[in-house]
Amino acid sequence: MPSERELFDQRLSKRAQLLESSDPYPARVERTHTAAEAVQAFLDAGEVDEQVAVTVVGRVTAQRVMGKAAFLDLRDQSGRIQLHFRRDRLEDFDRIDLVDLGDFLEVSGTLFRTRTGEVTVAVAKWRIVTKALRPLPDKFHGLTDTEARYRQRYLDLIANERSREVAFTRSRVVSAIRRFFLDRGFLEVETPVLQDNAGGAAARPFLTHHNALDRDLAMRISLELHLKRLLVGGFEKVFEIGRVFRNEGISYRHNPEFTLLESYEAYADYEDVARMVEDLLGAVALEVLGGTDLTHGEHTVSLQAPFARTTYHRALLDHTGIDFYQYRSVDALSEVARERGVRTEAGASWGTVLDALMSEFVEPKLIQPTFIFDYPTEISPLAKRKVDDPSVVERFELFALGYEIANAYSELNDPVDQRDRMMEQASKKAEGDEEAEIADEDFLVAIEHGMPPAGGLGIGVDRVVQLMTGEHSLREVILFPTMRERQAERHELSDEDDGAS
RNA sequence: GGGCCCGUAGCUCAGCGGUUAGAGCAGCGGACUUUUAAUCCGUCGGUCCAGGGUUCGAAUCCCUGCGGGCCUACCA
């Protein structure tokens, strides 16, 4: 019955038939072994047929029915195990007609090895524990339609081993990061997602509204300003792994919500943080991959410390021949940028033009992990100035495979300088720069009470997962990436009568 | 945002101006008690993304829209 409607109705009617004698959705199921454990138990018991009894549960992924016998494949999270049903052993053998691919079964029996060598459950007792109403993707070709893979990730996870692997790797990356910080004595905290003002990064926020308070709120774009308040409060090492939201374009490198790690350590500076980042990435790679080398297409990247280091000024000079100290005005700088084919927008600031040059000529070349130190003050309003050159700050970014992995500074804790720089950002914002930093008065008041010298760090966790998995698109490492709204869903089949047909 | 490509059965795909749009898998009926992409016979199944246009004739060509992918630009 090929139309979606017919397939659905057919399964509904099987469900109704099951209901006559049993519950196709029981709350309680038995399980003595996972699929993998069952096979192992058979091996451990000396591979004697029909000796080891197991009860396994899982989803039916293949059926090979032969009149008086049937083989079904049952899959659980641990793997797959084959089931053998025989008419001469089962009074309810014919009920396998009510089983469809995708149903969940609870099966008890003993283990044996088939003629072709596969460890198999000789089924003595079985029942359907979840009746599925919609068909699964093609058992052989799987699900390849990228849109369907993202919109219906559960189908992707059923059909594609790789998608499961990436999800597992992501989980391991996050727990490795968390363990790294906890082991170093950092306190894990959670700070507000809903805020008066979204600050701490150059990005546009999502805006929302609290009805009871009749108050507009913004969703956070970074974790920074609240974590620093905790430094004021006396915590010396804090970190947060949390979702942030940026109201910007969507691409294979950008999702409107992504996971950011930020850490702050009192009495450390950015040099200390750089060493910590080397340790962190090495530790994560070791735990997730078992080594510090990883291959990405034609590139082999080594996360073995120490990473290459250069400065913003040096890197730009090396890759473009531009010595930005020679071009102190926006106009002069824009002119050389234009000569090199970098178009700059009308209201672009000096720092923005520099950043455009870096993005164009330097960052794509940074395949091996490379620290870029000492950023222009103008594009780093929350970082502490270098003592010997106030036009640059103690800030580094770490690049690998051509994209930014980490961003860190010696945190600006002079409240007067901070206020001045926030006001400068605020006036840019007033002039129409939507990504300029806001002046957060509450934050300024906080640091006016004294924030200890500290090294801060931000890492895009999704990017680290990309690095570790070798996935090209961010959407492959985010289980449910943001998608455009889909109109005219044609999936609403269930509001017909649910028994009959 | 710009450029290129894609959208046909539940899934994977063919058909690219000419009868009534096809195949494999899945489904349904039948045969088959150790199969594993089971096999064999039969069979059901389509808003060819949507709307408009060109044409004697459109899944096929053109336009618009919707959705997606890749590349590119900003951010992490």
Side-chain angles (χ1 to χ4, degrees):
Chain A
M1 303 32 197
S3 83
E4 191 173 10
R5 176 79 251 173
E6 284 170 301
L7 290 168
F8 194 84
D9 286 345
Q10 198 169 75
R11 286 170 176 239
L12 270 182
S13 118
K14 288 177 181 174
R15 172 183 175 278
Q17 286 180 60
L18 287 165
L19 274 171
E20 289 167 10
S21 57
S22 63
D23 179 4
Y25 303 97
R28 227 169 264 288
V29 298
E30 300 297 321
R31 169 194 252 183
T32 63
H33 295 72
T34 65
E37 288 166 354
V39 172
Q40 191 58 47
F42 180 75
L43 301 180
D44 290 347
E47 307 200 17
V48 183
D49 283 355
E50 312 268 345
Q51 289 295 299
V52 181
V54 297
T55 298
V56 291
V57 292
R59 160 177 265 140
V60 178
T61 56
Q63 298 193 81
R64 296 174 291 280
V65 182
M66 287 164 287
K68 297 196 178 67
F71 289 93
L72 307 203
D73 289 346
L74 194 74
R75 197 165 90 196
D76 65 18
Q77 194 180 310
S78 76
R80 187 193 75 96
I81 192 162
Q82 181 169 259
L83 312 175
H84 187 212
F85 294 72
R86 297 172 54 139
R87 163 161 272 153
D88 59 6
R89 291 189 178 213
L90 293 165
E91 287 184 2
D92 58 355
F93 181 82
D94 290 337
R95 277 166 74 87
I96 60 172
D97 289 347
L98 297 177
V99 175
D100 286 296
L101 298 186
D103 292 353
F104 285 84
L105 259 43
E106 173 196 273
V107 171
S108 301
T110 52
L111 297 169
F112 73 107
R113 199 180 278 280
T114 63
R115 194 159 68 191
T116 49
E118 178 153 357
V119 178
T120 298
V121 181
V123 179
K125 195 174 156 214
W126 70 282
R127 61 174 176 148
I128 292 176
V129 295
T130 295
K131 181 68 199 162
L133 298 181
R134 294 178 190 267
L136 259 29
D138 187 284
K139 68 177 174 187
F140 187 61
H141 298 96
L143 185 70
T144 60
D145 181 82
T146 314
E147 180 176 355
R149 289 186 46 240
Y150 295 157
R151 287 190 192 275
Q152 294 180 277
R153 183 68 86 180
Y154 47 92
L155 294 180
D156 184 37
L157 293 169
I158 291 167
N160 299 312
E161 171 64 25
R162 175 63 184 163
S163 295
R164 293 193 289 276
E165 273 175 29
V166 169
F168 286 132
T169 299
R170 181 179 180 117
S171 172
R172 292 211 307 278
V173 166
V174 172
S175 61
I177 291 172
R178 177 168 281 120
R179 199 167 319 119
F180 178 90
F181 282 99
L182 292 173
D183 285 351
R184 290 186 171 225
F186 281 76
L187 181 72
E188 181 168 14
V189 298
E190 295 178 90
T191 62
V193 170
L194 296 175
Q195 311 181 340
D196 260 329
N197 282 309
R204 270 182 293 169
F206 285 92
L207 301 175
T208 186
H209 185 79
H210 188 281
N211 291 337
L213 298 179
D214 188 23
R215 171 188 172 199
D216 289 327
L217 292 167
M219 297 174 68
R220 66 184 177 187
I221 56 174
S222 86
L223 313 177
E224 179 153 2
L225 300 183
H226 279 86
L227 292 177
K228 284 181 175 173
R229 285 169 169 87
L230 297 177
L231 293 179
V232 174
F235 292 153
E236 297 182 356
K237 294 175 168 187
V238 294
F239 78 104
E240 178 170 7
I241 298 171
R243 202 73 59 83
V244 300
F245 309 84
R246 297 188 182 178
N247 205 341
E248 291 165 353
I250 296 178
S251 78
Y252 76 101
R253 316 180 68 151
H254 303 275
N255 198 61
E257 51 181 302
F258 64 99
T259 302
L260 189 60
L261 157 76
E262 288 195 25
S263 72
Y264 293 84
E265 178 174 5
Y267 318 121
D269 70 2
Y270 75 151
E271 294 280 357
D272 299 315
V273 176
R275 283 188 290 277
M276 184 176 76
V277 168
E278 289 173 335
D279 290 346
L280 172 66
L281 290 179
V284 170
L286 203 60
E287 178 149 340
V288 172
L289 306 170
T292 51
D293 282 2
L294 42 105
T295 37
H296 245 266
E298 75 262 36
H299 302 300
T300 298
V301 174
S302 171
L303 293 175
Q304 180 68 50
F307 301 161
R309 296 180 178 220
T310 183
T311 65
Y312 198 95
H313 179 253
R314 183 84 240 167
L316 201 59
L317 187 61
D318 286 349
H319 287 90
T320 66
I322 297 172
D323 174 358
F324 65 64
Y325 288 123
Q326 310 279 318
Y327 305 95
R328 286 299 198 172
S329 74
V330 196
D331 293 342
L333 189 66
S334 296
E335 179 57 34
V336 274
R338 259 194 304 279
E339 283 168 12
R340 285 170 175 72
V342 173
R343 59 196 167 81
T344 55
E345 288 167 34
S349 66
W350 187 75
T352 314
V353 177
L354 278 181
D355 228 35
L357 288 165
M358 286 294 279
S359 300
E360 178 71 24
F361 297 109
V362 182
E363 295 176 9
K365 306 244 172 63
L366 303 176
I367 303 302
Q368 295 303 319
T370 304
F371 287 115
I372 306 276
F373 281 84
D374 301 341
Y375 276 61
T377 304
E378 193 193 42
I379 56 174
S380 314
L382 301 168
K384 185 174 287 189
R385 295 176 200 268
K386 295 274 279 187
V387 177
D388 54 355
D389 182 359
S391 71
V392 296
V393 292
E394 293 199 358
R395 169 186 182 183
F396 71 78
E397 292 195 355
L398 174 68
F399 291 84
L401 289 171
Y403 54 80
E404 182 186 336
I405 302 286
N407 180 22
Y409 349 117
S410 297
E411 300 297 339
L412 175 55
N413 66 337
D414 173 351
V416 174
D417 190 8
Q418 183 67 85
R419 181 175 289 277
D420 287 348
R421 281 154 71 181
M422 275 192 166
M423 290 307 164
E424 191 185 319
Q425 290 288 314
S427 65
K428 281 186 184 169
K429 198 171 200 75
E431 286 164 18
D433 183 350
E434 284 181 308
E435 293 192 345
E437 192 67 51
I438 45 91
D440 185 334
E441 184 59 30
D442 187 70
F443 169 74
L444 289 169
V445 169
I447 67 168
E448 282 163 4
H449 289 83
M451 184 180 90
L457 169 68
I459 289 187
V461 172
D462 312 85
R463 292 261 171 100
V464 175
V465 178
Q466 265 185 286
L467 191 65
M468 297 295 163
T469 58
E471 286 297 334
H472 174 66
S473 172
L474 201 58
R475 293 174 154 216
E476 294 296 343
V477 303
I478 293 174
L479 280 171
F480 299 101
T482 303
M483 304 286 280
R484 226 173 273 266
E485 188 176 13
R486 189 100 201 242
Q487 65 168 67
E489 270 304 331
R490 66 212 203 288
H491 284 296
E492 294 139 32
L493 296 173
S494 34
D495 31 44
E496 311 272 299
D497 63 335
D498 69 349
S501 78

